[in-house]
Amino acid sequence: MCGRYVLFSKIQEIDDFLNSIDSGKYRAPGKQGEFIFHPNYNVAPTNIMPVAMTGEDGKRILMPMHWGFMGWKPKEGDRPFLPINTRDDKVIKSRMWKGPFQHKRCIVPANGFYEWTGSKGNKTPHFIYPTQGKLMGFAGIYNDLAPEDKDAEYSYSIITTDPNKVMEDIHDRMPVILHPEEFDDWLNPENDDPNFLKEFLAPYPEDGIQEYIVSKAVGNVRNNGPGLIEKADLFG
């Protein structure tokens, strides 16, 4: 799974990486816009983060989305089901996921993500990051619904798949990481054949990511800052 990730690159760097023609409602600090992006070293569920999608005019835009996919609007008094991850073996078949998988795909930019090993109460966090460049793009799905108390029009979920050799000793799932040359096809709304789309849902090459142990401070969502991705002093 992917329950925490990191995004500290500047909006312009994210735009360049994703080849976004328009940053949508996201703007860097100091510029006029509805949303201001701040680096986040401990992205957690319910956070609102920049996510790339194809707009109605065909432009690739970076939009603020709520992390926790809302498949339908809940009835009054009901607690909404807001999954942050979607398994690759369910996204193709499940009634809840099939439509968004065919028509509402997105890319979630990240500088890396966290995963934990160990037993409950004594878990060790690992930071996983790309070996080439600063950014990676997770395959995701979105919907044009979000919790009413959140300042976002969309919600998203990250698709997960089987682990590669770097991840298999850490967790039995990992996010689907797209290659930059796959971005166009993944976001192309005309690509709606599940058999074609499922080819993207493969473990990332093992030489494409590395990992190391970081401080347990990342386990608290209130902690944030570049110190969270520093290597832990295992002998201190």
Side-chain angles (χ1 to χ4, degrees):
M1 64 175 293
C2 178
R4 301 280 180 84
Y5 68 92
V6 172
L7 184 61
F8 56 77
S9 289
K10 297 179 180 179
I11 282 292
Q12 187 58 57
E13 293 176 319
I14 298 170
D15 265 343
D16 292 344
F17 174 68
L18 294 169
N19 194 26
S20 299
I21 297 173
D22 183 357
S23 292
K25 294 186 178 181
Y26 255 113
R27 294 294 183 269
K31 294 185 178 181
Q32 184 179 1
E34 189 170 345
F35 290 88
I36 297 177
F37 171 71
H38 297 284
N40 193 332
Y41 291 85
N42 201 358
V43 181
T46 74
N47 284 177
I48 297 175
M49 296 299 294
V51 176
M53 60 177 282
T54 301
E56 293 181 0
D57 57 0
K59 291 183 178 180
R60 185 175 304 175
I61 56 178
L62 201 63
M63 291 295 292
M65 296 192 187
H66 171 268
W67 190 18
F69 182 90
M70 179 175 278
W72 59 86
K73 189 173 183 178
K75 297 179 180 179
E76 186 175 352
D78 287 349
R79 185 176 180 180
F81 176 51
L82 303 171
I84 61 171
N85 293 154
T86 304
R87 291 178 60 100
D88 58 342
D89 54 351
K90 291 185 178 181
V91 73
I92 301 172
K93 302 176 181 178
S94 170
R95 179 183 299 179
M96 177 176 177
W97 305 120
K98 187 175 181 180
F101 180 57
Q102 289 182 275
H103 305 292
K104 295 179 180 178
R105 297 180 303 278
C106 59
I107 300 176
V108 182
N111 295 106
F113 63 99
Y114 301 106
E115 195 52 80
W116 281 257
T117 55
S119 57
K120 186 177 181 179
N122 189 31
K123 288 185 175 291
T124 299
H126 300 249
F127 178 60
I128 300 94
Y129 62 98
T131 57
Q132 300 294 323
K134 291 172 57 177
L135 284 155
M136 57 176 67
F138 301 147
I141 56 174
Y142 74 93
N143 200 10
D144 51 357
L145 285 173
E148 293 182 354
D149 62 338
K150 299 294 181 178
D151 195 14
E153 300 175 10
Y154 303 91
S155 59
Y156 70 98
S157 177
I158 295 170
I159 301 175
T160 65
T161 187
D162 295 328
N164 62 17
K165 289 187 177 181
V166 174
M167 288 295 300
E168 62 185 6
D169 291 332
I170 300 175
H171 202 276
D172 62 356
R173 305 291 296 174
M174 69 177 292
V176 172
I177 304 171
L178 298 169
H179 298 273
E181 58 268 25
E182 296 175 326
F183 290 174
D184 286 346
D185 281 338
W186 179 255
L187 291 181
N188 187 345
E190 295 183 4
N191 292 333
D192 59 2
D193 181 357
N195 291 319
F196 172 75
L197 295 171
K198 71 179 182 181
E199 297 300 320
F200 293 91
L201 309 182
Y204 203 62
E206 60 195 73
D207 60 355
I209 58 173
Q210 293 182 344
E211 62 86 20
Y212 55 79
I213 294 173
V214 293
S215 168
K216 292 185 178 181
V218 72
N220 188 331
V221 297
R222 290 175 292 183
N223 294 328
N224 212 311
L228 293 180
I229 62 171
E230 293 180 0
K231 288 185 178 180
D233 182 1
L234 302 179
F235 303 101

